[in-house]
Amino acid sequence: MTPNRPDDLKFAFPPLHGRVAAPEWAVRVDLAAAYRLSAHFGMEEMIRNHISARVPGAPDEFLVKPAAIRFSEVTASNLIKVSVAGERRDAAPLPADQAGINIHGAVYEARPDVHAVHHSHTIAGMTIAAQKDGLLPLSQHALRFYDRLAYHAYEGIALASEERVRLKRDLGGAARGMILRHHGLLTAGRSVAEAMVLMYYLDLACQIQVKAQASGAALTTPAPEVCREIARQIEGNGLTGDEEWPALRRLADTLDPAYAT
Ligand SMILES: [Zn+2]
C-alpha cells in the first residue's frame, strides 16, 4: 500500500493509545516527537533516513517509521514494529525500509545499552563523512564526541546482511555517535531524548567545521588533554537529553500536537 492522501494513513493505522502497554505508548510519543523535531531542524531528506527506539520490555524489537511517509507525518500510532533481525512484528500494511532496518537492527544487536538510534543525511554530516580526517575538535560541540565517535566505511546502500557484522564491529564499543563514510551520521542514545539531542549537536559540530574550513582562516584545535577533559566533563554532567526533552516536547506540541496520537 502507498498512502496517497493523509486520510490513507489514518485508515491504515488505527489509534493505538490504550491498546499498547503504557511504557510502549510513552516511547512511541517520544519517537514521533523526535521525527517532527528533526523535520523542524532540517534533518529530513524526503522519506529517507530513520529514527528508531527499542520497545520497552521487548529488547529484540524496535519501532521505526514506515518507508513511505515523511517525518512530519509520523504519529505515535503509525510507527511500525520490527525485530532486530529485520522481521516485521506488526500487521500494519506499509512496508519498512530495508536499509534502515538493517542499520538500526545492527546497532541494537551490538549495543544492549542503546535504546534509540537517530540516523540522518544532513548536508554538513555528509560533508564531514567525505573528509579523510572526519570530525575535528574545532568546537565545544565537537568535543562532546572526542574519542566517542566511531567510523564506518562505505559499502553501498546498507542492504546486505553481511554489512551488519561490520556495523556491529564499528559501533561495538562505547561510542555515542558514528560517521558513516559517504553516507551520513548516526547517534546511539540511552533514550529517544539522548539520541535526538546528540544528533542535534553532532550535526551542529559538522556545520561549524564546514563553515570554519570554508572561511579560509588558519584553524586551531585545543590540546588533546584539554579535549579529553572537556569530553569527560560533558559526559560527567549527565547531559543525557533529559534536561532538553521537556522543552523539545513543548516545541513539538507547538508545531503540531497530532504527533502524540
Ligand atoms: Zn542513510
Side-chain angles (χ1 to χ4, degrees):
M1 180 213 170
T2 302
N4 290 318
R5 299 172 300 124
D7 275 354
D8 291 345
L9 289 173
K10 286 186 191 152
F11 292 125
F13 296 92
L16 288 182
H17 189 215
R19 297 187 190 182
V20 296
E24 177 180 330
W25 180 254
V27 166
R28 282 176 172 271
V29 172
D30 279 346
L31 183 55
Y35 275 107
R36 302 297 187 100
L37 291 161
S38 297
H40 177 70
F41 294 139
M43 295 174 176
E44 185 178 28
E45 185 193 71
M46 294 196 182
I47 58 167
R48 303 297 169 197
N49 17 103
H50 296 80
I51 317 166
S52 68
R54 215 189 277 272
V55 178
D60 70 327
E61 293 179 341
F62 65 94
L63 301 162
V64 68
K65 83 170 183 66
I69 71 172
R70 289 179 287 111
F71 280 19
S72 49
E73 294 176 314
V74 173
T75 65
S77 295
N78 70 22
L79 293 159
I80 60 174
K81 193 180 283 185
V82 293
S83 77
V84 294
E87 302 148 347
R88 280 298 282 271
R89 294 282 173 87
D90 66 355
L94 263 60
D97 180 293
Q98 203 52 47
I101 284 180
N102 216 19
I103 293 171
H104 291 248
V107 176
Y108 291 122
E109 279 189 338
R111 295 282 299 274
D113 61 313
V114 168
H115 289 269
V117 174
H118 194 311
H119 169 50
S120 75
H121 294 171
T122 64
I123 291 172
M126 289 193 288
T127 304
I128 301 308
Q131 294 190 2
K132 189 164 179 285
D133 293 331
L135 186 69
L136 303 171
L138 292 170
S139 67
Q140 188 163 272
H141 296 312
L143 293 181
R144 179 184 280 249
F145 296 94
Y146 193 80
D147 284 343
R148 287 155 179 77
L149 199 58
Y151 290 82
H152 176 67
Y154 188 62
E155 300 187 28
I157 296 171
L159 291 169
S161 55
E162 311 89 74
E163 187 170 356
R164 290 174 73 105
V165 177
R166 265 93 60 189
L167 278 162
K168 286 158 77 171
R169 175 200 65 199
D170 293 337
L171 199 69
R176 286 280 152 222
M178 181 155 73
I179 291 184
L180 296 111
R181 293 290 192 187
H182 313 293
H183 178 179
L185 305 176
L186 183 146
T187 55
R190 287 160 285 195
S191 64
V192 170
E194 186 173 38
M196 177 74 243
V197 169
L198 285 172
M199 181 55 74
Y200 182 89
Y201 285 119
L202 183 55
D203 180 57
L204 197 53
C206 291
Q207 289 184 45
I208 291 165
Q209 180 168 330
V210 170
K211 290 199 175 183
Q213 291 170 323
S215 74
L219 302 179
T220 179
T221 57
E225 59 271 23
V226 174
C227 295
R228 276 191 287 274
E229 180 55 26
I230 299 295
R232 261 199 305 272
Q233 274 178 13
I234 292 174
E235 200 168 69
N237 279 338
L239 297 181
T240 59
D242 289 351
E243 286 190 349
E244 290 93 340
W245 197 239
L248 289 173
R249 281 286 300 271
R250 290 196 300 276
L251 173 57
D253 289 341
T254 304
L255 294 169
D256 176 10
Y259 76 90
T261 62

